[in-house]
Amino acid sequence: AQTVTQSQPEMSVQEAETVTLSCTYDTSESDYYLFWYKQPPSRQMILVIRQEAYKQQNATENRFSVNFQKAAKSFSLKISDSQLGDAAMYFCAYRSGNTGNQFYFGTGTSLTVIP
Amino acid sequence: SAVISQKPSRDICQRGTSLTIQCQVDSQVTMMFWYRQQPGQSLTLIATANQGSEATYESGFVIDKFPISRPNLTFSTLTVSNMSPEDSSIYLCSVEVWENTEAFFGQGTRLTVV
């Protein structure tokens, strides 16, 4: 089974600053997708950003961007201009390229934003 | 996209009883997933529910403890049976939308067993 590792249980960032959350994964597949999900205290899992493995270009969504290193199996999330609303648990997730396959989640990183 | 309504949002139950969690989706979906998230931990897949067939359970989860129904393409239920305090968790419903790669989640059910 694929494994997803988030080595940072907790991170903090000053408001308006930049923070990077780390994620590594293990797979023998060539076709897959990677995701960052955000889970605020409301418990609602919200998709932050998605990366297709076949795309070399790093995905970006407004203040959120990833550094996807396929050979190193690394998928970090950069949050720029951090806002108080960014405070949440962030989960890195892996999904095979075949429809219907399950998601594998990392253990999560709890992000605190300091005013 | 998909909007998922999950009920109840929270409950406190006596040990030995059962709780059924409902998951309603605003569109037809092929795959529905049930996850458990124990306090401070990541999501663990319980089972995958396809309409018209038996749910597929992951290692460590059995149908007698977590029976699942999937009567149509927009609805599913998960029952947590004969509950013990160890079942206290957040339970999340998730769907995969056809022609989309991402998963959409319900708001979760926080279950406390006393």
Side-chain angles (χ1 to χ4, degrees), chain B residues 1-113:
Chain B
S1 67
V3 176
I4 302 171
S5 174
Q6 186 174 337
K7 291 190 255 188
S9 60
R10 60 178 64 227
D11 207 341
I12 300 173
C13 300
Q14 296 289 325
R15 67 176 66 201
T17 63
S18 297
L19 175 72
T20 295
I21 302 168
Q22 299 180 0
C23 180
Q24 178 75 53
V25 190
D26 69 342
S27 58
Q28 294 185 339
V29 296
T30 305
M31 309 289 288
M32 296 183 77
F33 306 87
W34 288 99
Y35 290 88
R36 182 174 73 183
Q37 186 179 21
Q38 293 183 303
Q41 298 191 23
S42 188
L43 284 71
T44 300
L45 183 64
I46 297 171
T48 303
N50 292 327
Q51 191 267 336
S53 62
E54 293 280 335
T56 302
Y57 289 82
E58 298 300 307
S59 175
F61 298 96
V62 296
I63 187 171
D64 289 346
K65 176 67 175 177
F66 298 100
I68 288 171
S69 77
R70 182 79 200 273
N72 57 53
L73 290 173
T74 63
F75 187 77
S76 178
T77 66
L78 169 75
T79 299
V80 186
S81 303
N82 188 24
M83 288 183 286
S84 66
E86 291 71 34
D87 294 321
S88 297
S89 283
I90 295 170
Y91 292 84
L92 291 150
C93 168
S94 174
V95 303
E96 178 185 278
V97 178
W98 185 250
E99 296 179 350
N100 199 315
T101 56
E102 69 182 85
F104 297 89
F105 291 84
Q107 61 268 58
T109 297
R110 182 183 294 276
L111 170 63
T112 302
V113 183

Side-chain angles (χ1 to χ4, degrees), chain A residues 5-88:
Chain A
T5 302
Q6 292 179 250
S7 59
Q8 305 156 316
E10 297 177 346
M11 291 284 284
S12 62
V13 61
Q14 289 285 145
E15 193 175 5
E17 295 296 311
T18 296
V19 65
T20 298
L21 308 184
S22 301
C23 174
T24 59
Y25 58 96
D26 185 26
T27 185
S28 58
E29 298 178 329
S30 59
D31 182 21
Y32 53 88
Y33 301 87
L34 297 165
F35 306 84
W36 280 98
Y37 279 89
K38 168 185 175 181
Q39 187 181 41
S42 67
R43 304 194 304 269
Q44 181 73 57
M45 292 281 282
I46 302 165
L47 178 68
V48 175
I49 200 165
R50 172 179 67 202
Q51 175 80 44
E52 292 87 346
Y54 65 85
K55 289 187 178 179
Q56 293 185 338
Q57 187 173 8
N58 289 326
T60 62
E61 285 287 342
N62 301 314
R63 297 183 296 107
F64 299 88
S65 62
V66 299
N67 183 5
F68 174 47
Q69 301 290 327
K70 190 172 184 179
K73 296 179 182 174
S74 171
F75 183 61
S76 61
L77 174 70
K78 185 171 80 171
I79 306 174
S80 304
D81 185 24
S82 297
Q83 300 176 0
L84 295 178
D86 295 332

